[in-house]
Amino acid sequence: MLVVASLAAAVIAVRLPLDGFLWYFDVTKVSFPNASFFHEAVASGSLPLWVDELGLGFPLYAEGQVGAFYPPNAILHLLPPHWAMEASRVLHLTLAGVGAGLIALRLTGVERAMIVTAAATVLGGGIVAKLEWTNVVVAYGWLPWVLLPLVRRPAPTRIGLLAAGVAWGIQALAGHPNTWVMTGIAAGVLLLAIAPRPVTLGRLVVLGLTAVAVGAVQLLPTLQLWSLSARTEGLPDWDLFSNSATIFDVLIPGFANAFMPLGPREWDFATQWYPGGLWGVHESSAFLGLPLLGLAAIGLTQRRARPFAAVAVALVAIAVLGAFRPTPWLEMPILNGLRHPTRAYLFAAVALSVMAGIGVARLGRGDLPWRPAAIAIGGSMAIYALVANLAAWWPSGFAALTGWAFGLTPEAAAATTLTAARTLLRPLPLAIELGIGLATLALLAGLAGPRGRRHVAPVVASLAVIVLAVCSPTVNPVRPESAISQAGTPFMRAVESAAPGRFAALIDPSWYQGIPNQLAARGTRELGMFSSLNLRATDEVVTALRSEPVDTELARLLGVDLLATFGTACPGEEVASLAADGATICRIADVITPPVWLPAEAVGPGYLADASSAALRVRGWFGVEVVDHDVDVARAVAGGIPAVVEARDDDRGTFTVEAPAAGWVWIDRAWWPDWQTTVNGNRLTVDRALGGQLVPVVAGPNRIEQRFVPRAAWEGLLIGSVGLAFLVAWAVRGRRQRAEPAGHPAAS
């Protein structure tokens, strides 16, 4: 029954009965291209490790969003990309619902409580608003399974700790660092709330070591990529703390459409007033509905719910703390690169869902503890009424409040006030939410009469699920396949028909952000790319190419023979003009197709770190070190000699060149430590220049061979396997020690 209920809720959440697929901007930019890369890889019998077409090449396996080492992905992505994403959402939402339902069942022993918790975990606005990020959904699916073995008094067993750590480690393979870190915080708070003793700290260490051991195959490559990405020095405070708590967030749990109203079939994007904008609504969403809030308040009266209340408070505190932008947070490695503190609301919502299940079990006893529910539901309604009336009847005060709280100009604050008034007072679905909330209060207050008391629990539980099912999925639009895949657009058709060696777009308009990765997934080498962990050196090359005037010499050296400009002249022979997109596509003549031999005098010593340094040595984590060189582009273009490409694909390359003198061969493949290179059979160290690989060669014939070996992943697998073996032995030994006293008297 639990599996069926969770699956049904998952189908409702992703809106599968409708004709089309879930659509959002990041689906086109990230999720769909990643699914396409994975589909192509598994169709050819491999995993998505490296792709040459993205940027100057990119280690897909290290970018956790792809989930290269997450086992179910190898099966799911046998499906076409659209269906693989949908199947993954349904599977992992069901997984989350079953896990959360089992937590409620363990705490209450009541099946009705189990179903309500499962439905709220699957249909809650916190996760439904984030379905566009497939890896978030995958990681979320494992969250309850991390917590389930820990819900045991007086403390979890060694086997339980190991099981929780394994689930947390599997979650790491899903590749969403924010969710992984916050899951650890939730698990730590839960353990400490159940058993606030020093020994619990030791259990936390075991939990963390187990998770790292299982997830090391993904964690080590991701940390390696992090150290070479634009986030290695952390994010600026305005970006790191974007979408932190606001004074209006108290409206979020009870009302699905407080900040963006429902249109004919989905949220109305043109009418939203949340201070973080459209993305802020998604990041902060944690809608649960008024009946579920009332049930959670009832559950809070029970001692067994209090550890989850502690989890909810701790996670909300993260979002609140982010609003103050504390300096220490900006200086903490890894944490200073994880954006959007309001993502913590997602975990608080799961904790409230468990508490609501406990509340349902409490109602099942026959008495009606209506006061806690009245405080929660009535308080939410009162706050909503206060905010709505303030916006409608005292707009100047509301504008002053929003201007002060969000740093808006008077004009922007006035516009926000008008939008807020229209949104907050829109009748649907507000009338549904308020009506169900009032009906819940009436039932709990005993208006059904003495005979109806035994029906209150199932009716209120049903109301809680109904309001979630009706209001929550509307956050997501559904579009036909053509709205997600850009393959049929005039722009992509024009680029692909020109068959470029390498393509680059200059000064991306906002609509173009969904194009680069999709072009790459279809086989076109696009210099630009979109990921959460772009290689910093590649980004610097893209920035240099987009300088004004356009550096066509650099384009020729990079092998960029096709350019697109938007609203400006294209520096080459026009290939296509797309008036609707404001784009001009042109071909660059006399491109030097890399790899290319460069004379020694074209390669400078690099960015000098001190007077005695030959080049800047950029040291990353795990001993990664790269020597970065300058290149005199004009000399390189004038004296460069293209190498002969004998073979090249995503895991190897063979190039030959007859060098007139000792110099370098620049390979248009992003520098990454897991590329092993030999020249004439001799293994050597490769430097970096223009984001690519710089190989030293001697005068005469040179044969360069490259092989891609994901060393960090293999090291993670080895280290994790050894560590996990020790932890399993520790857990088994503890179980045997507990069993010995029972058999000892008989032996004596």
Side-chain angles (χ1 to χ4, degrees), residues 150 152-157 161 187-205 303:
L150 306 179
R152 186 178 186 276
R153 291 185 180 275
T157 63
L161 275 176
V189 172
L190 184 66
L191 274 175
L192 289 168
I194 292 173
R197 295 187 294 272
V199 70
T200 302
L201 298 178
R203 296 189 181 104
L204 287 174
V205 171
R303 181 171 175 268

Short mmCIF file of all heavy atoms in Angstrom, two decimals, residues 150 152-157 161 187-205 303:
data_model
loop_
_atom_site.label_atom_id
_atom_site.label_comp_id
_atom_site.label_asym_id
_atom_site.label_seq_id
_atom_site.Cartn_x
_atom_site.Cartn_y
_atom_site.Cartn_z
N LEU A 150 18.33 5.91 11.73
CA LEU A 150 18.74 6.70 12.89
C LEU A 150 17.60 6.90 13.88
O LEU A 150 17.84 7.31 15.03
CB LEU A 150 19.28 8.06 12.44
CG LEU A 150 20.40 8.03 11.39
CD1 LEU A 150 20.81 9.46 11.04
CD2 LEU A 150 21.60 7.23 11.88
N ARG A 152 15.80 5.61 16.23
CA ARG A 152 15.76 4.46 17.14
C ARG A 152 16.25 4.91 18.52
O ARG A 152 17.27 5.61 18.62
CB ARG A 152 16.66 3.34 16.61
CG ARG A 152 16.59 2.04 17.41
CD ARG A 152 17.48 0.99 16.76
NE ARG A 152 17.33 -0.31 17.39
CZ ARG A 152 17.99 -0.68 18.49
NH1 ARG A 152 18.85 0.16 19.08
NH2 ARG A 152 17.82 -1.88 19.01
N ARG A 153 15.52 4.55 19.54
CA ARG A 153 15.93 4.87 20.91
C ARG A 153 16.41 3.61 21.61
O ARG A 153 15.87 2.53 21.39
CB ARG A 153 14.76 5.50 21.69
CG ARG A 153 14.39 6.89 21.19
CD ARG A 153 13.31 7.51 22.06
NE ARG A 153 12.94 8.83 21.59
CZ ARG A 153 13.59 9.95 21.92
NH1 ARG A 153 14.65 9.89 22.71
NH2 ARG A 153 13.21 11.11 21.45
N PRO A 154 17.45 3.75 22.42
CA PRO A 154 18.10 5.00 22.85
C PRO A 154 19.10 5.53 21.82
O PRO A 154 19.51 6.68 21.89
CB PRO A 154 18.81 4.59 24.14
CG PRO A 154 19.15 3.16 23.93
CD PRO A 154 17.99 2.59 23.17
N ALA A 155 19.49 4.70 20.83
CA ALA A 155 20.43 5.12 19.81
C ALA A 155 20.43 4.09 18.70
O ALA A 155 20.05 2.93 18.91
CB ALA A 155 21.84 5.26 20.40
N PRO A 156 20.83 4.45 17.51
CA PRO A 156 20.89 3.48 16.42
C PRO A 156 21.97 2.43 16.69
O PRO A 156 22.97 2.69 17.36
CB PRO A 156 21.24 4.33 15.20
CG PRO A 156 21.88 5.55 15.75
CD PRO A 156 21.22 5.80 17.06
N THR A 157 21.77 1.25 16.17
CA THR A 157 22.76 0.19 16.28
C THR A 157 23.91 0.46 15.33
O THR A 157 23.83 1.35 14.46
CB THR A 157 22.14 -1.17 15.93
OG1 THR A 157 21.72 -1.14 14.55
CG2 THR A 157 20.93 -1.45 16.82
N LEU A 161 23.71 2.50 11.86
CA LEU A 161 24.61 3.59 11.46
C LEU A 161 25.22 3.31 10.11
O LEU A 161 25.33 4.20 9.24
CB LEU A 161 25.71 3.78 12.50
CG LEU A 161 25.41 4.65 13.71
CD1 LEU A 161 26.59 4.63 14.67
CD2 LEU A 161 25.10 6.09 13.29
N ALA A 187 20.81 14.79 9.50
CA ALA A 187 21.08 13.54 10.22
C ALA A 187 21.80 13.81 11.53
O ALA A 187 21.49 13.19 12.56
CB ALA A 187 21.93 12.62 9.34
N GLY A 188 22.74 14.75 11.52
CA GLY A 188 23.46 15.08 12.75
C GLY A 188 22.56 15.67 13.82
O GLY A 188 22.64 15.30 15.00
N VAL A 189 21.68 16.59 13.41
CA VAL A 189 20.74 17.19 14.36
C VAL A 189 19.80 16.13 14.92
O VAL A 189 19.50 16.11 16.13
CB VAL A 189 19.95 18.33 13.69
CG1 VAL A 189 18.85 18.84 14.61
CG2 VAL A 189 20.89 19.47 13.31
N LEU A 190 19.33 15.23 14.05
CA LEU A 190 18.42 14.18 14.50
C LEU A 190 19.09 13.28 15.54
O LEU A 190 18.51 12.98 16.59
CB LEU A 190 17.96 13.35 13.30
CG LEU A 190 16.92 12.27 13.59
CD1 LEU A 190 15.59 12.89 14.02
CD2 LEU A 190 16.71 11.39 12.37
N LEU A 191 20.32 12.87 15.27
CA LEU A 191 21.04 12.02 16.21
C LEU A 191 21.24 12.71 17.56
O LEU A 191 21.04 12.12 18.62
CB LEU A 191 22.39 11.61 15.63
CG LEU A 191 22.42 10.38 14.72
CD1 LEU A 191 23.80 10.19 14.14
CD2 LEU A 191 21.99 9.13 15.48
N LEU A 192 21.66 13.98 17.50
CA LEU A 192 21.91 14.71 18.74
C LEU A 192 20.62 14.99 19.50
O LEU A 192 20.61 15.01 20.74
CB LEU A 192 22.63 16.03 18.43
CG LEU A 192 24.09 15.88 17.97
CD1 LEU A 192 24.61 17.20 17.42
CD2 LEU A 192 24.97 15.41 19.13
N ALA A 193 19.52 15.18 18.77
CA ALA A 193 18.24 15.41 19.45
C ALA A 193 17.73 14.15 20.13
O ALA A 193 17.11 14.21 21.19
CB ALA A 193 17.21 15.93 18.44
N ILE A 194 17.98 13.00 19.53
CA ILE A 194 17.55 11.73 20.13
C ILE A 194 18.43 11.37 21.32
O ILE A 194 17.94 10.93 22.37
CB ILE A 194 17.58 10.61 19.08
CG1 ILE A 194 16.51 10.85 18.02
CG2 ILE A 194 17.37 9.24 19.74
CD1 ILE A 194 16.57 9.88 16.85
N ALA A 195 19.74 11.56 21.16
CA ALA A 195 20.69 11.17 22.22
C ALA A 195 21.73 12.28 22.39
O ALA A 195 22.81 12.21 21.83
CB ALA A 195 21.36 9.85 21.87
N PRO A 196 21.40 13.34 23.14
CA PRO A 196 22.34 14.46 23.33
C PRO A 196 23.46 14.12 24.31
O PRO A 196 23.51 14.63 25.42
CB PRO A 196 21.43 15.57 23.86
CG PRO A 196 20.32 14.86 24.56
CD PRO A 196 20.10 13.58 23.81
N ARG A 197 24.34 13.21 23.86
CA ARG A 197 25.45 12.77 24.71
C ARG A 197 26.74 12.79 23.90
O ARG A 197 26.70 12.69 22.67
CB ARG A 197 25.18 11.35 25.23
CG ARG A 197 23.97 11.25 26.15
CD ARG A 197 23.86 9.86 26.77
NE ARG A 197 23.59 8.85 25.76
CZ ARG A 197 22.36 8.51 25.35
NH1 ARG A 197 21.30 9.12 25.87
NH2 ARG A 197 22.20 7.56 24.46
N PRO A 198 27.91 12.87 24.57
CA PRO A 198 29.19 12.91 23.84
C PRO A 198 29.39 11.71 22.91
O PRO A 198 29.99 11.85 21.85
CB PRO A 198 30.23 12.93 24.96
CG PRO A 198 29.53 13.55 26.11
CD PRO A 198 28.11 13.10 26.02
N VAL A 199 28.88 10.54 23.30
CA VAL A 199 29.07 9.36 22.47
C VAL A 199 28.43 9.52 21.09
O VAL A 199 28.84 8.88 20.11
CB VAL A 199 28.51 8.11 23.18
CG1 VAL A 199 26.98 8.16 23.25
CG2 VAL A 199 28.99 6.84 22.50
N THR A 200 27.43 10.39 21.00
CA THR A 200 26.76 10.62 19.71
C THR A 200 27.73 11.23 18.70
O THR A 200 27.59 10.99 17.49
CB THR A 200 25.54 11.53 19.90
OG1 THR A 200 24.65 10.92 20.83
CG2 THR A 200 24.80 11.75 18.59
N LEU A 201 28.68 12.00 19.17
CA LEU A 201 29.66 12.58 18.25
C LEU A 201 30.46 11.49 17.56
O LEU A 201 30.78 11.59 16.37
CB LEU A 201 30.59 13.53 19.01
CG LEU A 201 29.91 14.74 19.66
CD1 LEU A 201 30.93 15.57 20.43
CD2 LEU A 201 29.22 15.60 18.61
N GLY A 202 30.77 10.42 18.30
CA GLY A 202 31.45 9.29 17.68
C GLY A 202 30.59 8.63 16.62
O GLY A 202 31.09 8.20 15.57
N ARG A 203 29.29 8.53 16.89
CA ARG A 203 28.39 7.95 15.90
C ARG A 203 28.33 8.81 14.64
O ARG A 203 28.24 8.29 13.52
CB ARG A 203 26.99 7.80 16.50
CG ARG A 203 26.92 6.83 17.68
CD ARG A 203 25.49 6.56 18.10
NE ARG A 203 25.44 5.66 19.25
CZ ARG A 203 25.18 6.04 20.50
NH1 ARG A 203 24.91 7.32 20.75
NH2 ARG A 203 25.17 5.16 21.48
N LEU A 204 28.38 10.12 14.82
CA LEU A 204 28.40 11.02 13.66
C LEU A 204 29.64 10.79 12.81
O LEU A 204 29.59 10.85 11.57
CB LEU A 204 28.32 12.47 14.12
CG LEU A 204 26.97 12.95 14.65
CD1 LEU A 204 27.09 14.36 15.21
CD2 LEU A 204 25.93 12.92 13.54
N VAL A 205 30.76 10.55 13.46
CA VAL A 205 32.01 10.29 12.73
C VAL A 205 31.86 9.02 11.90
O VAL A 205 32.24 8.97 10.72
CB VAL A 205 33.20 10.18 13.71
CG1 VAL A 205 34.44 9.68 12.97
CG2 VAL A 205 33.47 11.53 14.36
N ARG A 303 6.29 13.51 22.31
CA ARG A 303 7.73 13.52 22.55
C ARG A 303 8.52 12.96 21.36
O ARG A 303 9.60 13.47 21.03
CB ARG A 303 8.03 12.71 23.81
CG ARG A 303 9.50 12.64 24.19
CD ARG A 303 9.66 12.00 25.56
NE ARG A 303 11.05 11.82 25.92
CZ ARG A 303 11.75 10.71 25.67
NH1 ARG A 303 11.15 9.68 25.09
NH2 ARG A 303 13.01 10.62 26.01
#
